[in-house]
Amino acid sequence: MLNLIKNECYKMISKPIVLVSLVLFFGFNILMFFCWGFNYGGKEDIDKNAAYTAQFQGHFTDEKMQTIYQDFLKEPEVAKEYYKGHSTYDTINSCFINKNDGFLMTLEQTFSTNYESNVKDNLVFADTTGPSLLINVLTKIYMFIGFILIIAISPIFSDEYTLGMDALILTSLYGKNKVITAKLTASFLFTLLVTGGTILIQTIGFLTLYGTSGFQGSVQMNPLKLMSDVPYLMTFSQAMIQMTLVWLFTALFTTLTCTLLSAVCRTSFLSLIGGLVVYIL
């Protein structure tokens, strides 16, 4: 059985279109990391902002918010020049500045409606730049993972019909059941490796740049205003776990859909088109 699985994995990834797609995809991964990872400046800017934010880390209050806001306004020219690396102020600007009149709102005003009553009094402030950028990047990249899975997995069964190997498989030494099991196992292994590898690469990159402290912060406060509408208390570590499970589940579901389409379509082209249509819809 192990040899069968290895053989199916080799058949899947040895196709030129799959190899090219994987190279382009992981190249895109690296490009996304450099484009978004340094969105707030270089490593020096990132470390500078982290050091500034550390003094406010923990339970968040209106007083801390006012201090950050006033620090930024003290010297407008310096502040303006520093803005690119000042993701802490960007968090205040994104989450607490009233866009209609430009005034700074209190925690009570910001979280009085559409949030659970305990949110405003229990928010945890941290340099959430890293985790918010990480989740944002992975969400954007994930849209492309589906295309990689469809390209690689759609021919898993339909290729046998195209090459006329289906009848031979039924009379082979291993028989239909073992071959089907090997094909399904190879498909799900490929999915886990591509999806898990993407998550792992991006996570290591952003942890190297930003560290782990931001994962303790509440999702309601981050420079991208990502997930800031979550109505209950949640930290970025909890959000990352939930999002990882969602990404893995949907990737596995996409794989299951592709294998089913591949089993019923008589040609690889039909299974590929069917997979793309279902995925896009």
Side-chain angles (χ1 to χ4, degrees):
M1 176 60 76
L2 185 59
N3 287 332
L4 274 176
I5 295 171
K6 287 180 179 178
N7 183 55
E8 292 299 334
C9 288
Y10 176 76
K11 284 166 59 179
M12 189 185 304
I13 65 174
S14 62
K15 293 182 174 68
I17 188 172
V18 176
L19 285 173
V20 171
S21 298
L22 285 173
V23 170
L24 290 175
F25 175 69
F26 282 105
F28 177 66
N29 258 279
I30 296 170
L31 179 65
M32 287 291 284
F33 169 72
F34 281 102
C35 287
W36 284 92
F38 296 96
N39 193 52
Y40 283 96
K43 190 67 169 70
E44 184 179 347
D45 292 318
I46 293 169
D47 291 342
K48 184 178 180 182
N49 185 74
Y52 174 81
T53 309
Q55 62 186 307
F56 304 102
Q57 191 161 324
H59 179 243
F60 197 55
T61 63
D62 287 324
E63 289 73 21
K64 288 183 178 181
M65 187 199 310
Q66 283 286 348
T67 301
I68 296 170
Y69 185 65
Q70 293 303 322
D71 282 352
F72 187 80
L73 296 180
K74 280 178 183 175
E75 299 179 66
E77 290 308 314
V78 175
K80 187 176 180 180
E81 183 180 335
Y82 184 48
Y83 180 77
K84 187 177 181 181
H86 206 316
S87 56
T88 299
Y89 173 75
D90 211 4
T91 297
I92 303 302
N93 182 54
S94 300
C95 302
F96 298 106
I97 299 292
N98 189 312
K99 302 308 176 186
N100 295 321
D101 55 26
F103 288 109
L104 186 68
M105 297 186 293
T106 64
L107 291 172
E108 177 70 34
Q109 292 171 325
T110 305
F111 300 107
S112 58
T113 56
N114 302 322
Y115 293 90
E116 291 184 357
S117 58
N118 65 333
V119 170
K120 64 180 181 297
D121 297 321
N122 295 281
L123 292 169
V124 177
F125 192 75
D127 183 9
T128 54
T129 313
S132 62
L133 287 172
L134 171 60
I135 292 177
N136 183 57
V137 166
L138 285 173
T139 302
K140 294 179 185 302
I141 289 175
Y142 182 77
M143 294 186 292
F144 295 92
I145 289 181
F147 294 108
I148 301 297
L149 299 180
I150 292 167
I151 290 170
I153 297 170
S154 289
I156 193 76
F157 289 110
S158 55
D159 260 4
E160 310 300 349
Y161 298 131
T162 303
L163 298 173
M165 297 295 291
D166 52 321
L168 183 61
I169 288 173
L170 295 176
T171 58
S172 68
L173 175 65
Y174 295 107
K176 178 176 69 174
N177 292 336
K178 286 186 178 180
V179 172
I180 290 174
T181 301
K183 286 180 178 294
L184 290 174
T185 303
S187 299
F188 286 114
L189 279 175
F190 178 82
T191 299
L192 290 174
L193 285 173
V194 172
T195 309
T198 300
I199 294 171
L200 185 63
I201 288 170
Q202 294 295 340
T203 301
I204 291 174
F206 277 94
L207 286 178
T208 302
L209 275 181
Y210 292 93
T212 60
S213 61
F215 286 91
Q216 303 167 16
S218 299
V219 295
Q220 287 81 6
M221 299 183 296
N222 64 87
L224 302 183
K225 209 175 181 181
L226 183 75
M227 304 178 72
S228 61
D229 293 330
V230 172
Y232 49 85
L233 290 171
M234 177 189 286
T235 63
F236 267 103
S237 59
Q238 295 169 328
M240 187 63 190
I241 291 171
Q242 290 185 23
M243 292 302 294
T244 299
L245 292 175
V246 169
W247 290 322
L248 289 173
F249 175 79
T250 51
L252 291 172
F253 182 77
T254 301
T255 299
L256 179 61
T257 303
C258 286
T259 54
L260 289 173
L261 286 171
S262 185
V264 299
C265 294
R266 306 303 293 183
T267 67
S268 300
F269 179 75
L270 283 177
S271 61
L272 177 63
I273 296 301
L276 289 172
V277 170
V278 171
Y279 184 70
I280 292 171
L281 295 177

